[in-house]
């Protein structure tokens, strides 16, 4: 007598249907995530246009997925969805090299892959308490140049630096880990630090967010707070003033 031990076993056809159902669920989840990111970036645009209109006016249009794919085609890593979302939103600031004379170009470009992105059209000037911070949101081609700079300097981790902040003493690099499953965003103090020093141990000590949407959510809260607390002065040469106490409070709330 033959014993049937496979009670509840599925036929090949039912297994195929089950896999198809799972695939459809994943597609639906991805679609919902994309909608959520689009809504998040739309919210950020709306807040920027009210709280920091000078910044909003200098953001470049976003790239198409095809343009992004073309720029990253030479690399072996997979670009995280967070990075796709970021550069489909806006491709950095102006992205045009500043009008510099030859001496200025040599001084800025030497050893700096982003040095030619100078001038107010490529910079955001923020007042954070007593500190004047000059920030750059890098177009994708410059971010990729930053990645190459890190790898040429033997950085052991694949990172995409997409923003830089400098207060005259320290330089902070906002870098996304090029890991689709774990696209952590680090805000790392890279002052006088060679690429070889950007290690797992070093990054573990630096401020970080789980992914880009957490960083954007934090920035929305910062600019919303600014809108509620500081009157907008169109004649102010600064792009934005931020309360440092509120900034620190919000960071503690949204950081990883």
């Amino acid at each position: 007598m033959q014993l049937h031990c496979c009670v509840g076993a599925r036929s090949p056809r039912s297994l195929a249907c089950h896999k198809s159902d799972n695939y459809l669920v994943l597609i639906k989840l991805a679609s919902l995530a994309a909608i959520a990111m689009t809504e998040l970036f739309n919210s950020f645009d709306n807040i920027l246009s009210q709280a920091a209109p000078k910044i909003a006016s200098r953001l470049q249009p976003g790239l198409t997925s095809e343009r992004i794919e073309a720029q990253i085609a030479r690399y072996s890593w997979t670009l995280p969805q967070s990075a796709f979302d970021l550069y489909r939103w806006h491709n950095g600031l102006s992205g045009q090299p500043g009008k510099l004379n030859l001496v200025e170009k040599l001084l800025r470009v030497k050893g700096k892959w982003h040095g030619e992105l100078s001038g107010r059209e490529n910079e955001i000037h923020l007042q954070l308490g007593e500190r004047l911070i000059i920030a750059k949101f890098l177009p994708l081609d410059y971010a990729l140049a930053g990645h190459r700079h890190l790898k040429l300097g033997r950085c052991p981790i694949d990172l995409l630096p997409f923003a830089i902040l400098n207060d005259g003493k320290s330089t902070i690099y906002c870098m996304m880990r090029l890991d689709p499953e774990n696209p952590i965003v680090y805000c790392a103090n890279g002052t006088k630090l060679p690429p070889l020093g950007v290690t797992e141990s070093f990054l573990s000590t630096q401020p970080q967010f789980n992914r880009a949407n957490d960083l954007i959510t934090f920035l929305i809260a910062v600019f919303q707070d600014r809108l509620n607390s500081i009157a907008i002065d169109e004649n102010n040469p600064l792009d934005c003033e931020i309360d440092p106490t509120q900034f620190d409070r919000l960071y503690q709330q949204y950081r990883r």
Side-chain angles (χ1 to χ4, degrees), residues 11-61:
S11 68
R13 182 176 179 180
S14 66
L15 284 172
C17 290
H18 181 66
K19 289 180 179 179
S20 177
D21 289 344
N22 286 342
Y23 181 67
L24 291 173
V25 168
L26 289 174
I27 290 177
K28 187 172 183 179
L29 289 174
S31 177
L32 290 172
I35 292 171
M37 283 304 300
T38 299
E39 291 177 348
L40 184 67
F41 282 123
N42 287 342
S43 295
F44 195 22
D45 275 331
N46 290 335
I47 291 295
L48 279 178
S49 65
Q50 299 173 65
K54 294 177 184 177
I55 297 174
S57 68
R58 293 204 299 274
L59 290 167
Q60 289 197 93

Side-chain angles (χ1 to χ4, degrees), residues 15-245:
L15 284 172
C17 290
H18 181 66
K19 289 180 179 179
S20 177
D21 289 344
N22 286 342
Y23 181 67
L24 291 173
V25 168
L26 289 174
I27 290 177
K28 187 172 183 179
L29 289 174
S31 177
L32 290 172
I35 292 171
M37 283 304 300
T38 299
E39 291 177 348
L40 184 67
F41 282 123
N42 287 342
S43 295
F44 195 22
D45 275 331
N46 290 335
I47 291 295
L48 279 178
S49 65
Q50 299 173 65
K54 294 177 184 177
I55 297 174
S57 68
R58 293 204 299 274
L59 290 167
Q60 289 197 93
L63 299 174
T64 64
S65 296
E66 291 74 18
R67 285 283 304 277
I68 296 173
E69 291 282 7
Q71 290 198 45
I72 64 174
R74 61 182 287 189
Y75 300 99
S76 59
W77 39 256
T78 300
L79 191 69
Q81 186 62 45
S82 294
F84 266 101
D85 293 335
L86 180 67
Y87 281 105
R88 279 198 297 242
W89 171 57
H90 287 296
N91 187 31
L93 292 172
S94 165
Q96 299 299 317
K99 296 178 181 179
L100 306 173
N101 62 40
L102 181 59
V103 174
E104 288 173 323
K105 283 185 178 181
L106 290 174
L107 287 174
R108 283 180 176 267
V109 176
K110 183 180 179 182
K112 292 186 178 181
W113 42 271
H114 57 88
E116 64 178 19
L117 282 180
S118 62
R120 287 296 276 115
E121 66 275 17
N122 289 298
E123 297 174 348
I124 299 171
H125 289 200
L126 305 170
Q127 191 73 42
L128 183 64
E130 298 297 319
R131 299 163 63 197
L132 173 62
I133 297 174
I134 297 177
K136 297 178 182 180
F137 171 24
L138 303 175
L140 181 57
D141 54 345
Y142 281 89
L144 292 170
H147 168 71
R148 292 194 297 273
H149 168 78
L150 288 170
K151 299 311 287 184
L152 286 172
R154 295 189 293 166
C155 174
I157 307 163
D158 285 332
L159 297 163
L160 185 73
F162 60 87
I164 303 169
L165 299 88
N166 186 286
D167 66 359
K169 297 179 180 179
S170 302
T171 302
I172 304 297
Y173 294 89
C174 295
M175 304 182 290
M176 185 182 299
R177 194 180 191 99
L178 292 169
D179 178 354
E181 302 300 321
N182 198 29
I184 299 170
V185 172
Y186 302 96
C187 298
N189 187 342
T191 309
K192 297 182 180 179
L193 181 71
L196 189 60
V198 184
T199 61
E200 296 285 5
S201 176
F202 166 73
L203 290 175
S204 70
T205 67
Q206 302 301 296
Q208 52 194 266
F209 297 85
N210 279 321
R211 55 192 64 237
N213 56 331
D214 293 331
L215 172 61
I216 297 300
T217 302
F218 163 66
L219 292 175
I220 288 174
V222 169
F223 282 100
Q224 181 66 63
D225 180 77
R226 194 259 177 178
L227 187 62
N228 294 337
S229 60
I230 302 175
I232 307 300
D233 181 3
E234 294 184 357
N235 296 316
N236 191 331
L238 296 169
D239 293 317
C240 188
E241 294 178 69
I242 297 173
D243 182 287
T245 303

